Amino acid sequence: MDDDAEVVERGRYEGVATPWDGAAWRRAALDWTGEALAARGLRQRGRRTVRLRPWSVLVRVPVEGGGDCWFKAHPPGSAFEGALTEALARWVPDSVLRPLAVDTTRGWTLLPDGGPLVLDVLDRLDASDGQRLWEEVVRRYAETQRTLTAHVGELASLGVPVVPTAALPEFFDDVLASARTAAEERARLEALRPRVAEWAGELAALGVADSLDHADLHEKQVFHPAAGRFTYFDWGDALVSHPFASFLVAARAARERYGPAALPRLRDAYLEPWTGGGASAAELRRALTLGARLGVLGRAASFGRLFPGNDDGELPRAQGRWLSELLREPMADRASGDARMSDLI
C-alpha cells in the first residue's frame, strides 16, 4: 500500500499525539491492512483518508469494486475493542459489524463498510418517522444488552473495564481524582459523594443485571444497512456496568434533534425488552432515571482513554464537565414522584 496516497485530517486536535506520526508504526499498520485485505480478496483503490484523534487512528481505505474498509488503532485504555468486536460478532451477530481482521496485541481492527449511518437516514426523515426510527434503535440496542447479560464474565476476560453497579461510588472517586475542575466545583462534587452512594445502592437494589454499556450511543455510532436492521459500532468507550447508563447519550441526541417531548416514548421503547424480569414498570422507569444520571461517570472516564502524550488538560477538563452534570438538581414531577427525564438527560 502506497503510504503517500492519503489525506490526513486532525480536526481541532492539531497537536494530537498518535502512533501514526511514527514512520515505522505507520508502515507496519499499512502493511498489516494490505495483507488483511488481500486475505479477503480485496485491494485498495484510491486515496486513503486518515482521521487522527487523541483516542484513535481511523483510516478509510477505498477498495476495488466499490465500498470502503476501515482500519482503527485503539489507545492502550481501549485496547480491548478489537477482541470485544470479535466476541460481539459471535454473540450478537445481527447487531454488530464482523471484523475483517483483528490484532489484539497491537490494538488494531479492520472493519467492513457498515452501510448508511442512522444520522444520514434521520436527516432524510420527517420528525415523526425519525422519532420512530430512534425508538427502534434503542429498542434493538436494549435487546442486545439483555442478551449480553449472560456474557458479563467473558466481557471482563477480554479486558473490558468492569464497574459493578454497587461499585459506582468508588468509580466516582477514581474519575474525580483524575478530572480537572475548579476548586469550588470539586468541593461540591466531593460533598455529593453520599448521594452518589445512595443512588447506586438504590439502582443495584432494583435488580437489573449488569451488562455492556456502549457509553457513547448516538446517531453517528449506529449503521442502518436495511429495514429493521441496526449495527452498533465504535466500542472503545464501553464498560460493563448498569446497562441503563447507555440511555444517557442516546436520549440527549434524540432530545437535541426532536425536543424533550420525544423522551417518554423513547424511554418506553428502551425499557420494553427489560419487562418480564420481575421489576414493575415504575421500578424500571426509576432505574432508568438513576442509570442515566450515573451514566455520566462512564462518559467522564472515557476521556482518560487516550494515546500517551495527550495531556494538555483539555480532555481531563471534559471529565470534569461530565461530572458536573451530577450537580444539577432535577425538578420533581409531582404526579409520579420521579425526576423529570428531560431535566436529567
Side-chain angles (χ1 to χ4, degrees):
M1 296 176 73
D2 177 5
D3 93 353
D4 294 322
E6 63 198 24
V7 175
V8 178
E9 183 266 306
R10 297 176 185 264
R12 59 190 178 90
Y13 299 99
E14 284 300 323
V16 62
T18 77
W20 184 261
D21 298 313
W25 186 97
R26 186 169 61 250
R27 170 52 59 190
L30 293 174
D31 287 348
W32 178 83
T33 300
E35 292 164 5
L37 289 174
R40 298 277 182 165
L42 300 171
R43 184 166 178 250
Q44 177 183 334
R45 183 182 181 89
R47 179 170 288 190
R48 298 183 297 273
T49 302
V50 183
R51 194 190 76 166
L52 303 180
R53 296 292 185 269
W55 53 84
S56 70
V57 172
L58 186 66
V59 183
R60 181 179 68 84
V61 183
V63 296
E64 287 183 347
D68 300 311
C69 293
W70 300 84
F71 165 88
K72 186 176 183 180
H74 319 289
S78 295
F80 60 83
E81 186 175 352
L84 173 59
T85 303
E86 277 190 316
L88 293 176
R90 296 193 303 271
W91 300 331
V92 285
D94 292 335
S95 298
V96 297
L97 293 175
R98 182 177 296 277
L100 300 175
V102 170
D103 186 324
T104 57
T105 301
R106 293 186 285 193
W108 296 347
T109 306
L110 185 65
L111 292 166
D113 186 75
L117 286 170
V118 163
L119 169 71
D120 299 325
V121 178
L122 290 173
D123 285 344
R124 298 193 296 268
L125 298 176
D126 63 25
S128 179
D129 288 341
Q131 288 178 61
R132 281 194 289 271
L133 184 70
W134 246 126
E135 291 156 18
E136 190 63 16
V137 168
V138 299
R139 181 184 295 109
R140 296 295 181 90
Y141 173 74
E143 291 172 354
T144 299
Q145 285 185 296
R146 190 151 191 191
T147 299
L148 291 174
T149 59
H151 296 281
V152 164
E154 293 159 282
L155 288 167
S157 72
L158 297 174
V160 181
V162 177
V163 185
T165 300
L168 285 171
E170 291 74 25
F171 189 44
F172 169 80
D173 295 337
D174 293 341
V175 178
L176 181 57
S178 63
R180 296 192 185 179
T181 60
E184 180 181 349
E185 185 163 278
R186 178 172 291 273
R188 293 177 64 202
L189 285 165
E190 289 172 347
L192 189 68
R193 211 280 190 176
R195 294 199 67 191
V196 171
E198 290 174 6
W199 295 331
E202 182 183 354
L203 183 57
L206 288 168
V208 176
D210 288 347
S211 186
L212 188 65
D213 170 20
H214 183 285
D216 195 23
L217 185 67
H218 55 74
E219 61 267 58
K220 296 179 184 178
Q221 309 277 45
V222 188
F223 292 117
H224 187 30
R229 176 111 187 264
F230 301 95
T231 52
Y232 308 89
F233 68 100
D234 199 359
W235 295 92
D237 293 341
L239 66 160
V240 175
S241 193
H242 199 283
F244 291 5
S246 292
F247 193 71
L248 170 68
V249 174
R252 287 190 176 197
R255 183 186 64 181
E256 182 175 338
R257 185 179 282 264
Y258 301 115
L263 295 183
R265 277 181 37 181
L266 193 74
R267 172 200 63 196
D268 293 344
Y270 176 80
L271 289 177
E272 183 181 316
W274 298 99
T275 60
S280 68
E283 287 171 331
L284 287 173
R285 288 194 294 270
R286 177 60 177 163
L288 187 65
T289 296
L290 292 168
R293 187 164 201 179
L294 291 169
V296 302
L297 300 179
R299 287 300 303 133
S302 70
F303 283 93
R305 301 183 194 175
L306 309 173
F307 288 117
N310 293 288
D311 56 358
D312 63 359
E314 178 185 353
L315 295 168
R317 282 191 291 271
Q319 290 182 310
R321 287 194 294 272
W322 274 105
L323 287 177
S324 70
E325 296 293 311
L326 289 169
L327 297 169
R328 290 197 305 135
E329 284 293 341
M331 296 165 56
D333 181 340
R334 296 180 181 176
S336 67
D338 287 336
R340 284 185 186 153
M341 196 164 32
S342 60
D343 294 313
L344 287 171
I345 298 166

